[in-house]
């Protein structure tokens, strides 16, 4: 057996990672950190929390203030109210949305947590990547420079995807001077991020695309495709033989690449597993019990030698890799 169930955490609102610690909110509205040294409460009476690369951001139940924690200690607090979303972190700054009587505005926090109001006149921010931020207004998707908000280029998302409504761009990955847009159709557009010029259209997978150690991954059903962002070459991996006996297939929005291993949730059952890509071998799988009245696995996460599985009912199961 590759993994064993090490412990369970009940009634988790949301779970994520900060450094080597698992951060979650429990049923008493406490934000809790769990690592190899044990479990401790970071903040109490929290309505919502968000994880940055260096900090944990908590929106308080009362007053809706924004509290910022580092290594479990409160380091700064901002008067609210703050909207819970959107929240963007690119390592150099954090952008959060603050609500005001006149509407909404973005606040930028630098690495020293200095707050700077940002003069964006809309709340249609999609994401921040490096020195660029991206906005969608209706069917127009545009790229802007963070320093001054200047629009560098725009494109019609319905035109590039041949879709007529809804969410078209699933994921944005910035790699050096290239921007990769994962479209709902399964196509990945590679663009020059500074000009918007389309370099290549690549068929990867319907659903999410994910980046890990210099490679971009797409997965669906029995197929995994690995894109090299340098050469734009795609390695196609067929897992049909590995999944045939169990009847598994990878759900497109719930997989995690970790080098030669891919963690996945099966699309046909409440099953999670691990496959070895180089040999197309199913290494391990298990069925997750779902609470009565609930129907699915909500999220999976990998940190070190542990696999975390969060069900819709709020139970977090932690699997530890056997030594």
């Amino acid at each position: 057996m590759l993994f064993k169930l090490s412990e369970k955490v009940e009634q988790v609102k949301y779970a994520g990672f900060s450094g080597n610690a698992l951060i979650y909110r429990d049923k008493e509205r406490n934000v809790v950190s769990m690592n190899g040294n044990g479990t401790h409460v970071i903040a109490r009476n929290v309505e919502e929390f968000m994880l940055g690369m260096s900090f944990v951001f908590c929106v308080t139940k009362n007053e809706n203030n924004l509290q910022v924690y580092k290594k479990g200690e409160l380091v700064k607090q901002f008067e609210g109210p703050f909207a819970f979303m959107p929240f963007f972190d690119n390592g150099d700054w954090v952008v959060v949305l603050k609500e005001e009587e006149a509407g909404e505005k973005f606040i930028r926090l630098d690495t020293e947590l200095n707050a700077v109001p940002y003069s964006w006149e809309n709340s249609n921010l999609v994401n921040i990547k490096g020195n660029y931020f991206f906005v969608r207004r209706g069917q127009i998707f545009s790229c802007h420079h963070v320093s001054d908000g200047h629009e560098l280029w725009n494109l019609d998302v319905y035109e590039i995807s041949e879709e007529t409504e809804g969410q078209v761009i699933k994921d944005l990955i910035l790699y050096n001077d290239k921007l990769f847009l994962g479209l709902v159709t399964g196509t990945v557009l590679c663009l020059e991020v500074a000009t918007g010029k389309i370099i290549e259209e690549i068929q990867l997978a319907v659903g999410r695309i994910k980046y890990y150690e210099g490679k971009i991954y797409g997965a669906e059903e029995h197929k995994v495709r690995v894109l090299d962002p340098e050469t734009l070459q795609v390695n196609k991996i067929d897992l049909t033989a590995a999944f045939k006996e169990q009847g598994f297939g990878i759900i497109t929005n719930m997989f995690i690449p970790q080098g030669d291993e891919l963690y996945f949730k099966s699309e046909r059952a409440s099953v999670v597993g691990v496959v070895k890509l180089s040999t197309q071998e199913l290494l391990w799988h298990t069925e997750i019990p779902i609470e009565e009245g609930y129907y699915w696995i909500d999220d999976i996460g990998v940190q070190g030698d542990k696999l975390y599985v969060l069900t819709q009912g709020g139970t977090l199961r932690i699997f530890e890799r056997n030594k």
Side-chain angles (χ1 to χ4, degrees):
M1 183 65 69
L2 186 66
F3 284 89
K4 61 181 179 180
L5 183 65
S6 58
E7 54 187 310
K8 292 194 297 183
V9 180
E10 302 290 343
Q11 297 304 309
V12 174
K13 169 68 175 177
Y14 168 78
F17 301 106
S18 179
N20 293 319
L22 171 74
I23 312 294
Y24 63 90
R25 200 194 77 170
D26 65 16
K27 60 184 179 182
E28 280 80 32
R29 295 183 179 272
N30 299 321
V31 174
V32 180
S33 173
M34 176 189 296
N35 57 27
N37 297 321
T39 300
H40 68 277
V41 175
I42 294 176
R44 301 182 186 277
N45 202 24
V46 173
E47 181 68 19
E48 198 71 62
F49 80 94
M50 300 158 286
L51 298 177
M53 294 183 180
S54 302
F55 303 99
V56 179
F57 300 83
C58 297
V59 179
T60 58
K61 174 67 175 175
N62 299 321
E63 306 297 334
N64 274 357
N65 288 340
L66 182 67
Q67 297 178 343
V68 187
Y69 292 82
K70 185 172 185 177
K71 297 181 179 179
E73 299 294 329
L74 178 64
V75 292
K76 205 152 190 179
Q77 180 167 300
F78 300 91
E79 293 185 1
F82 283 86
F84 302 145
M85 291 295 289
F87 169 85
F88 302 97
D89 184 347
N90 76 344
D92 293 325
W93 46 74
V94 176
V95 174
V96 292
L97 186 62
K98 184 174 182 179
E99 298 176 337
E100 296 186 331
E101 290 184 3
E104 299 171 333
K105 69 176 180 179
F106 288 102
I107 303 295
R108 186 173 78 170
L109 307 178
D110 63 20
T111 53
E112 302 300 323
L113 297 179
N114 299 309
V116 180
Y118 232 44
S119 59
W120 297 332
E121 296 179 355
N122 62 80
S123 57
N124 298 312
L125 180 66
V126 173
N127 213 324
I128 302 174
K129 297 287 184 180
N131 294 320
Y132 308 92
F133 70 89
F134 303 91
V135 168
R136 180 175 175 185
R137 302 182 188 89
Q139 65 192 70
I140 302 301
F141 175 84
S142 57
C143 173
H144 305 251
H145 206 280
V146 166
S147 61
D148 56 12
H150 175 69
E151 181 180 305
L152 300 174
W153 52 266
N154 66 68
L155 52 81
D156 186 320
V157 294
Y158 296 151
E159 185 177 287
I160 63 170
S161 65
E162 299 183 356
E163 296 289 308
T164 58
E165 61 182 13
Q167 183 182 7
V168 171
I169 298 173
K170 288 285 189 178
D171 292 290
L172 294 83
I173 294 173
L174 182 63
Y175 181 86
N176 295 333
D177 57 352
K178 297 172 185 173
L179 178 68
F180 293 87
L181 302 181
L183 305 183
V184 68
T185 57
T187 297
V188 173
L189 290 184
C190 174
L191 301 90
E192 290 182 354
V193 68
T195 66
K197 177 184 176 182
I198 296 178
I199 300 172
E200 193 73 68
E201 297 185 16
I202 305 156
Q203 195 66 29
L204 210 63
V206 175
R208 304 297 305 273
I209 59 173
K210 301 194 176 183
Y211 178 84
Y212 182 78
E213 292 188 347
K215 297 291 189 293
I216 297 173
Y217 294 76
E220 58 180 300
E221 296 184 342
H222 306 150
K223 298 177 182 178
V224 176
R225 292 185 173 92
V226 185
L227 169 64
D228 185 330
E230 289 281 0
T231 65
L232 302 185
Q233 298 300 306
V234 177
N235 179 26
K236 299 177 182 179
I237 301 170
D238 191 340
L239 301 174
T240 302
F243 289 162
K244 184 178 180 180
E245 183 178 346
Q246 303 292 341
F248 294 160
I250 300 171
I251 193 168
T252 59
N253 66 341
M254 210 172 294
F255 65 93
I256 301 173
Q258 295 283 290
D260 194 30
E261 294 182 346
L262 188 91
Y263 293 73
F264 69 91
K265 179 199 174 298
S266 174
E267 61 183 0
R268 295 186 178 91
S270 299
V271 168
V272 294
V274 184
V275 66
K276 189 171 183 177
L277 297 177
S278 61
T279 61
Q280 294 86 57
E281 177 187 2
L282 180 63
L283 298 178
W284 173 85
H285 69 275
T286 189
E287 185 167 357
I288 304 297
I290 302 297
E291 298 89 340
E292 184 177 354
Y294 295 93
Y295 306 100
W296 57 73
I297 295 170
D298 203 40
D299 201 4
I300 62 175
V302 178
Q303 190 82 338
D305 60 356
K306 290 185 173 63
L307 167 66
Y308 300 84
V309 182
L310 178 63
T311 63
Q312 186 198 10
T315 297
L316 182 70
R317 285 176 168 81
I318 304 174
F319 296 86
E320 186 171 10
R321 199 178 191 111
N322 286 323
K323 304 298 184 182

